[in-house]
Amino acid sequence: MPHPCTVVVVGSLNMDLKVRTPRLPVPGETLLGSSFSTDSGGKGANQAVAAARMGVAVAMLGCIGHDAHGDALARSLREAGVAVEALVVDEVQASGIGAIFLMPDGENSIVVVPGANHALTPARVEAQAHRLRQARLVVVQLECPLDSVRRALRIAREAGVTTLLNAAPAQPLDDALLADVDWLVVNEVEAAMLSGLPVDTPAEVEQAAQALRRRGPAQVVVTLGAAGMHHAGPDGTLALPAPRVTAVDTTGAGDTFVGTLAAGLAEGAPLAATFARAQTAAALAVSRLGTQSAMPTRAEVDAFAPAP
Ligand code: RIB
């Protein structure tokens, strides 16, 4: 029997189709972009790769189509060292894609067509329950059916496995689902939506994080982009700035943060060091063009010296 994986990610895989454009076109307008590239993406797969780059054993549970994109998505995971035995090839749906407009300042706009990601049914999660039960940490996001996310969290919780939900893309969540979450990671938009509170100032971010903690998760991290991150947990709060870098492509930056955080949590590393490493990994990813291909290795993160 193979050694159980430390981190099991249940989530999406998308082929990212990326166009660099000077700005977003207005309705009815045609713009000329400067380049086109494809890269393996999807929030789930991105987080699995980011965690694997930190050197922990990672398995991915998700659905791809029986097509060239699916083959490439599975290959990217394998090349990153992620175990793919729990990947399901759906014979009906095409692999998911992410249509991405990348602006000169590195910001992006994304439309995801989930395709096979929506074929990750609760029954398919159930079929891999043994892998979830053997993990130290189960990581989920919200690009797959909510009932499947719910099932994964329940299986993990019942087995005493720590759970991490990255509530992206933002959508309303009920308290029963949040009660099965140990770690909730959200950006400002998601924090505002889930808490129903504004997050325009550090004090408001703290209030929103505490409101989210009251809904179930003991640990809440709000990522703030270039402004860093805010953590609220049972032992207090911690706000950390982000290392300063020149943003080239922000696609997958949040996923890099989540995957690196997941690796540190699964290893039992000190929290402050884990947060710092996750921030650095995300900053490095932002400074490079690409999604999974831009994610740094542990050696690159540890060697990073921020500009003075
Ligand atoms: O978080 C970035 C990811 O969101 C992209 O890789 C895209 O595929 C969407 O899932």
Side-chain angles (χ1 to χ4, degrees):
M1 172 138 165
H3 193 268
C5 278
T6 313
V7 175
V8 175
V9 178
V10 181
S12 58
L13 304 93
N14 299 322
M15 184 53 70
D16 286 351
L17 313 173
K18 196 174 292 181
V19 171
R20 287 178 107 170
T21 176
R23 59 179 171 78
L24 287 179
V26 297
E29 182 185 26
T30 300
L31 276 180
L32 296 186
S34 58
S35 72
F36 171 74
S37 56
T38 60
D39 196 356
S40 296
K43 295 186 193 303
N46 293 346
Q47 292 170 16
V49 168
R53 295 248 159 94
M54 294 303 117
V56 300
V58 183
M60 173 90 203
L61 169 52
C63 271
I64 50 177
H66 190 170
D67 49 29
H69 284 163
D71 292 346
L73 290 166
R75 192 165 54 244
S76 294
L77 288 179
R78 273 196 300 272
E79 286 172 1
V82 176
V84 295
E85 289 75 15
L87 269 193
V88 178
V89 179
D90 188 79
E91 295 297 333
V92 178
Q93 302 274 359
S95 295
I97 63 109
I100 301 180
F101 286 120
L102 181 62
M103 259 64 76
D105 63 357
E107 287 301 331
N108 60 54
S109 294
I110 306 179
V111 176
V112 166
V113 181
N117 292 304
H118 276 184
L120 184 68
T121 58
R124 282 174 163 165
V125 173
E126 192 70 48
Q128 301 297 331
H130 58 289
R131 291 183 204 276
L132 304 184
R133 292 189 186 110
Q134 290 174 330
R136 288 216 194 110
L137 182 74
V138 166
V139 178
V140 294
Q141 331 71 35
L142 299 176
E143 284 185 333
C144 291
L146 198 56
D147 281 348
S148 303
V149 172
R150 192 186 299 280
R151 190 68 205 118
L153 290 170
R154 194 88 276 269
I155 291 168
R157 173 54 63 94
E158 282 173 354
V161 175
T162 304
T163 58
L164 186 158
L165 167 65
N166 172 219
Q171 64 169 281
L173 296 172
D174 56 74
D175 287 349
L177 184 147
L178 287 172
D180 281 340
V181 175
D182 294 302
W183 283 82
L184 176 68
V185 183
V186 284
N187 66 18
E188 291 155 288
V189 173
E190 294 145 6
M193 183 202 236
L194 283 178
S195 68
L197 295 170
V199 290
D200 297 325
T201 66
E204 288 176 350
V205 170
E206 166 64 5
Q207 282 162 9
Q210 295 298 351
L212 292 172
R213 290 187 69 230
R214 287 193 289 277
R215 295 191 62 194
Q219 313 268 7
V220 172
V221 175
V222 184
T223 58
L224 305 166
M229 57 155 279
H230 185 94
H231 168 244
D235 299 327
T237 61
L238 185 63
L240 287 178
R244 279 198 298 160
V245 291
T246 302
V248 173
D249 182 356
T250 56
T251 317
D255 300 330
T256 306
F257 179 92
V258 170
T260 310
L261 171 65
L265 295 178
E267 286 178 323
L271 273 190
T274 296
F275 291 145
R277 183 174 272 142
Q279 296 254 82
T280 300
L284 282 168
V286 159
S287 69
R288 304 166 177 172
L289 185 62
T291 310
Q292 289 175 19
S293 60
M295 293 174 176
T297 62
R298 188 174 192 126
E300 288 174 318
V301 171
D302 289 344
F304 176 77

